[in-house]
Amino acid sequence: MDEINPDGVPRKVLFVAGAGRSGTSTLAGIVSRLGMHVPLPEVPPDDSNPRGFSEPQWVVDVHDEWLAEALVQVSDSRPSAWFDTGRICSREPARIRVSEWLEPHFDVHPELVVKDPRLSWFLGLWRVAAIRTGATPVFATMLRPPAEVVGSKQKYYANKLGSAHLAASWVNMLLHTERATRPTEGAGSRVFVRYEDLLTDWVKTTMALGHALDLQTIVHTRSDQIREVHRFIDPNLRRVNQTLADLGLPTRLHELTAETWEQLTRLADPDQGADSAEIHETFDQLRAAYTDLYEEAEAISRSTEVHARLQGKRQLLAELEDDTHGRRFADMVPHEVRAAIPPSVRRGVRKALGRERADGQ
């Protein structure tokens, strides 16, 4: 008999996905208090989330590493960013690394919960890694009105990127999260959870999640664990209330954001039986429409991109030219290093710095 798992509960990994500030920490905090295991160590609480994140530190660190390599932001509005992270997801060493990290945590508990706002960028990798450990991956995507997500990020993260960018990144994130979590053979189920439902009646919402995903820890939770969650839940967590109209978005982005939210809320309503081929096609059309909108915006703003690149080049040249120690930058480079640089390259650098030599020098 397995002392860790005497009841023979099948291995499962609950992946809690969704945009940051959507209630992912609340859901992960609930299921962990009901007995599911968040691999340790966890990310410590901070002022933006004083009740804790329920995020494994290792997961956050590896996601930061991969996002930096892919040159992708956590809130990235570029549709092409998914191709950049997708290349990492397809790497065999990355899949092995994640599955080897997951494996020993099943010695603690057969049902794990993995949550991180960066998770959606690498869901394909995590799905494969979980299956390789003999676990069934299941998915819960948190849904919060996009205007509230934007407002919460601006309030708690001092985000200066602007409402249009944050709304666009929300659309980009949620449309691709929907696509990445669609059920496939042998890959488990998914649910979509409205943040408002979780705060209004967490017991009903969480128990429905447990039954839908066949999470034995949730289905057979104890009364003392339920009391602990009651102490954890703060009905006033929803401190930002605003609408899309308050964001002043460009018309087409406003329409796409509203339509995406409407379709996602259908997925959160099991009475509609919404997780069907028909709604999948609708989401595919929304992703295509968003890609078209983004490409149009890129084409129109090309001059801004070029200007920013030129500004960056000018700043770099100014920093190279800056003589903080009373010496030219070139004088700070050892002679043997300068001697190894081809003459044509040295001439190019001097030209860029405006220090071309007269003929014969």
Side-chain angles (χ1 to χ4, degrees), residues 333 336-346:
V333 180
E336 60 272 18
V337 175
R338 279 183 284 156
I341 300 174
S344 60
V345 175
R346 293 202 299 271

Side-chain angles (χ1 to χ4, degrees), residues 33-34 202 207 220-231:
R33 284 165 176 79
L34 294 179
W202 76 264
M207 291 303 142
H220 300 291
T221 190
R222 304 190 310 268
S223 59
D224 60 312
Q225 294 170 323
I226 292 175
R227 287 194 295 271
E228 184 178 352
V229 177
H230 277 306
R231 290 189 291 268

Side-chain angles (χ1 to χ4, degrees), residues 99-121:
S99 60
E100 288 181 345
W101 176 81
L102 277 172
E103 181 62 40
H105 293 290
F106 289 111
D107 293 338
V108 180
H109 197 281
E111 293 185 332
L112 308 180
V113 55
V114 173
K115 170 259 175 182
D116 177 23
R118 307 155 187 80
L119 180 63
S120 290
W121 294 108

